[in-house]
Amino acid sequence: MSSPALPRRALPIGRLRTPSYSVQARPVANQWPLFHQALPSLRVNRSFTTSRQLKSDSAAPDTEPQEPGIDLPRMEKFVEQLQPELRSDQFRPRDLETKYLETILPKDKVAKMVETTASTAQLRRELDNIHRVYHLSKHIARDPLSVPLSLPRPWVSNFKVQIEDGRVSMNGIEIPNIWLRDNCQCSSCMHADTKQRLLDTFDISADVSITSHENTPDGIRLTWSDGHTSEYTNRFIGRSTAPAKKRVGNRIGLADSLTLWDSSIASFPPIIGYSHLASKKSESATAALKGLLSNIRRFGFSYIDGVPADPRTTKSLLERIAFIRTTHYGGFYDFTADLASKDTAYTNIALGAHTDNTYFSDPAGLQAFHLLSHTDGSGGASLLVDGFKIAQDLKAQDRDAYEILSLVMVHAHASGNQGISIQPYRGFPVLQHDLETGYLLQLRWNTSDRARIELPIDQVGKWYDAARKWDALVKKKENEYWEQLRPGRVLIFDNWRVMHGRSAFTGKRRICGGYINRDDWISKFKILRDGQESVLEHLATD
Ligand SMILES: C[N+](C)(C)CCCC[C@H](N)C(=O)O
Ligand SMILES: O=C(O)CCC(=O)C(=O)O
């Protein structure tokens, strides 16, 4: 079928007016891939009329440049003829392109193009996806994509600072002057109380230079071209050159060593006695709090035994760590199976192992449960699973599955309560790693609250396959630690590492507790373990 001769000049490209369906006669490559494939056969000039050149219905005056157009009369006739079909609800707009082309080209050629375009689209998606996966994975150290089992020995640099040609270096690594000047720790550059930078970084000249220097007992004193004098210790400079793994541990408050566990933890769970925490002697109370947070950092959870079974005492115990986070469930919670909040936690059904708050951009760091009473019924045992142990097992068992759960973003929601549908600002992977070291940082696992899996729909199967392997490990009996909570025993666990659940129950069961933000409890942990001064000393370098 020969295509019509091109009109002498561009016909006005407006909207095709048809009784009930208007087609924007402006095929754009990414909207009409098939159409573009047909171009050569259509002998339509390749430079399309763009929206910018969209004309009103009046014919372009002769003085206009001879813009190549599209064979509009044919399109209008085609759309007119298609009217009956367009009205039927079986009509799929994406068929419009194929049908149009079949009016121009042999059917088998169109069929071939449809097939090629589909596979091109698929290929494009794969390529887009592989770029994304590569881009993400290149940021995550491939090895180890790992659970940080132990904090590397603290970086102690015995190196001396070198200064040559106005450049500071240590052990062959240059420390740029702009960074040194910007991180002067003196009280005119850093507020003595707030520890905030006072100087405006970008008042510092980009080529700030050292005009003189002298050694000090533990480092160097530098005089800058802006007249300022700064002192730095060898230790401070040394830390700035330390490899990531030697620094990250302090910054993210890694435990000196992590203990991964399975069901056998039941024989020896980490416990702190409340009497120590409540001690009138502040040192022992502080030591007990340090012990509690060390337990949680190392095992992912801890019990506190001997706590008076009342909400007030439980709340003040939690507030020894940090303030309680308020959410749409309220602040300190005291709940039972009454659907007071439209979430399955407020029912008596069994809940599989999960982490809470996957629908928040920043899930709570700690969660606490204190079972205050359970009358006229049974069940309601608590389940704990060490997500970092599961991650380590999955990585050993199926590296690809581990990577898919580390790279594919998953969305979540909390939408039960009237007028609320909470979702994080972006998707997050089940396994979130520190981008600098590859350390596993956070687990987000909740099959009840999961929304979109961020893959083209025809590719989500690979995520389900990987997640199924994860789920099988989570549900392995040897990974499940079941414990019947009782009044007096408070459970606090790391919601970024440990999954929790419960068995179904009957009767009236009352639990109180609270959420604490990740950053707030890790701050407390670091200060208690390392001391305020040490933590502050590392801020600029770690
Ligand atoms: C507040 N309180 C702990 C009682 C219930 C919270 C419900 C948590 C929700 N199912 C989630 O998985 O995030
Ligand atoms: O009722 C329980 O023991 C746990 C409820 C739960 O999983 C939650 O509140 O997130």
Side-chain angles (χ1 to χ4, degrees):
M1 174 191 306
S2 69
S3 43
L6 275 176
R8 195 170 53 76
R9 63 172 179 227
L11 289 161
I13 300 287
R15 295 181 65 79
L16 280 175
R17 301 268 177 273
T18 55
S20 68
Y21 192 88
S22 70
V23 173
Q24 186 76 23
R26 193 167 32 88
V28 178
N30 57 0
Q31 282 173 344
W32 295 41
L34 259 182
F35 191 89
H36 273 261
Q37 278 212 40
L39 270 184
S41 351
L42 299 179
R43 283 210 316 277
V44 172
N45 186 298
R46 299 190 66 81
S47 65
F48 269 138
T49 306
T50 63
S51 56
R52 186 170 47 79
Q53 293 157 310
L54 274 180
K55 303 268 190 302
S56 69
D57 281 351
S58 60
D62 276 351
T63 51
E64 284 279 292
Q66 291 302 307
E67 288 288 334
I70 302 286
D71 182 352
L72 273 184
R74 162 182 291 287
M75 283 188 148
E76 285 182 311
K77 184 159 170 285
F78 163 72
V79 172
E80 283 300 327
Q81 287 165 351
L82 214 53
Q83 280 311 312
E85 248 187 282
L86 291 182
R87 285 198 204 89
S88 81
D89 54 14
Q90 271 73 43
F91 180 75
R92 299 183 309 172
R94 68 178 175 176
D95 292 342
L96 192 65
E97 204 181 312
T98 311
K99 289 181 181 306
Y100 180 71
L101 289 170
E102 283 170 352
T103 65
I104 304 169
L105 300 169
K107 276 195 186 304
D108 59 337
K109 184 171 169 65
V110 175
K112 191 86 193 91
M113 284 164 45
V114 170
E115 187 193 314
T116 316
T117 303
S119 56
T120 311
Q122 170 67 14
L123 184 61
R124 169 49 46 216
R125 279 201 301 265
E126 287 284 346
L127 290 175
D128 289 350
N129 206 37
I130 201 67
H131 280 291
R132 196 164 63 89
V133 169
Y134 163 72
H135 171 72
L136 279 169
S137 57
K138 94 167 178 275
H139 281 298
I140 296 179
R142 284 185 63 80
D143 194 15
L145 211 48
S146 67
V147 178
L149 287 180
S150 63
L151 186 61
R153 298 299 347 122
W155 173 258
V156 178
S157 122
N158 300 319
F159 302 110
K160 286 272 177 282
V161 180
Q162 317 289 329
I163 298 185
E164 253 170 67
D165 308 332
R167 294 171 186 277
V168 174
S169 65
M170 180 177 275
N171 196 20
I173 299 170
E174 182 185 352
I175 298 95
N177 288 344
I178 181 66
W179 183 83
L180 283 164
R181 179 66 189 88
D182 185 38
N183 286 284
C184 176
Q185 304 289 307
C186 79
S187 56
S188 57
C189 296
M190 198 69 71
H191 194 289
D193 298 322
T194 70
K195 313 303 177 193
Q196 290 166 292
R197 181 177 286 101
L198 290 171
L199 87 161
D200 178 341
T201 297
F202 303 101
D203 279 350
I204 304 169
S205 152
D207 51 7
V208 64
S209 59
I210 298 167
T211 52
S212 69
H213 67 270
E214 56 192 324
N215 289 330
T216 60
D218 64 351
I220 47 166
R221 182 178 299 115
L222 302 176
T223 302
W224 298 103
S225 45
D226 63 6
H228 190 72
T229 298
S230 307
E231 290 197 10
Y232 307 90
T233 64
N234 291 320
R235 183 182 157 82
F236 178 85
I237 299 231
R239 287 198 66 82
S240 74
T241 64
K245 283 192 187 307
K246 297 285 186 183
R247 292 181 279 110
V248 160
N250 283 70
R251 174 166 53 75
I252 58 178
L254 277 186
D256 295 338
S257 72
L258 264 66
T259 301
L260 305 184
W261 44 268
D262 58 19
S263 58
S264 61
I265 192 82
S267 55
F268 195 66
I271 302 172
I272 292 283
Y274 177 69
S275 58
H276 300 296
L277 275 167
S279 164
K280 293 281 176 280
K281 285 193 294 193
S282 66
E283 312 81 62
S284 54
T286 302
L289 183 60
K290 179 178 171 182
L292 169 62
L293 295 184
S294 296
N295 274 356
I296 297 172
R297 199 67 183 109
R298 179 171 174 188
F299 295 94
F301 77 100
S302 183
Y303 292 122
I304 303 101
D305 279 354
V307 182
D310 66 75
R312 191 182 52 76
T313 311
T314 307
K315 181 172 183 287
S316 62
L317 161 58
L318 297 184
E319 288 169 341
R320 295 289 313 282
I321 300 172
F323 61 90
I324 288 170
R325 172 162 173 182
T326 299
T327 68
H328 58 297
Y329 306 111
F332 181 78
Y333 45 72
D334 185 342
F335 70 104
T336 185
D338 59 2
L339 271 178
S341 186
K342 299 298 179 280
D343 183 283
T344 47
Y346 296 78
T347 70
N348 61 3
I349 64 173
L351 299 175
H354 66 280
T355 60
D356 271 17
N357 307 163
T358 50
Y359 39 78
F360 286 145
S361 303
D362 175 32
L366 295 182
Q367 181 163 12
F369 292 137
H370 187 182
L371 185 124
L372 298 178
S373 64
H374 186 178
T375 53
D376 311 327
S378 62
S382 295
L383 165 64
L384 295 178
V385 178
D386 184 355
F388 277 22
K389 194 253 183 203
I390 303 299
Q392 190 175 57
D393 291 356
L394 179 68
K395 189 184 158 212
Q397 174 190 312
D398 187 327
R399 178 64 175 269
D400 289 343
Y402 184 96
E403 293 220 346
I404 286 169
L405 296 183
S406 302
L407 295 173
V408 173
M409 305 298 152
V410 176
H411 293 271
H413 76 99
S415 308
N417 294 301
Q418 188 59 35
I420 286 181
S421 181
I422 296 165
Q423 290 204 264
Y425 71 95
R426 47 157 268 205
F428 289 90
V430 171
L431 300 173
Q432 176 110 308
H433 293 77
D434 175 75
L435 291 183
E436 200 178 11
T437 57
Y439 282 150
L440 178 60
L441 288 179
Q442 180 187 29
L443 173 65
R444 295 166 88 111
W445 180 256
N446 192 313
T447 54
S448 313
D449 299 340
R450 183 176 2 98
R452 173 86 195 203
I453 297 158
E454 203 172 298
L455 283 173
I457 194 63
D458 57 354
Q459 297 178 40
V460 296
K462 68 177 77 162
W463 183 87
Y464 279 101
D465 292 344
R468 186 180 301 279
K469 291 171 182 162
W470 169 270
D471 181 66
L473 288 168
V474 170
K475 290 172 180 166
K476 276 176 90 169
K477 281 286 151 265
E478 63 261 33
N479 288 325
E480 293 186 331
Y481 163 41
W482 287 92
E483 171 81 9
Q484 189 71 47
L485 294 182
R486 58 183 189 277
R489 164 166 274 194
V490 173
L491 164 65
I492 303 181
F493 59 90
D494 177 351
N495 182 54
W496 281 32
R497 167 181 169 183
V498 173
M499 291 168 276
H500 65 285
R502 72 167 183 229
S503 60
F505 62 91
T506 56
K508 184 151 176 54
R509 177 175 180 268
R510 184 186 167 197
I511 285 194
C512 71
Y515 289 130
I516 290 175
N517 288 322
R518 161 71 176 215
D519 297 347
D520 297 316
W521 88 267
I522 291 292
S523 160
K524 192 73 171 179
F525 166 74
K526 284 162 59 173
I527 297 285
L528 287 174
R529 181 187 66 177
D530 304 335
Q532 180 103 12
E533 193 181 328
S534 166
V535 170
L536 295 181
E537 182 196 333
H538 294 156
L539 293 176
T541 56
D542 289 13

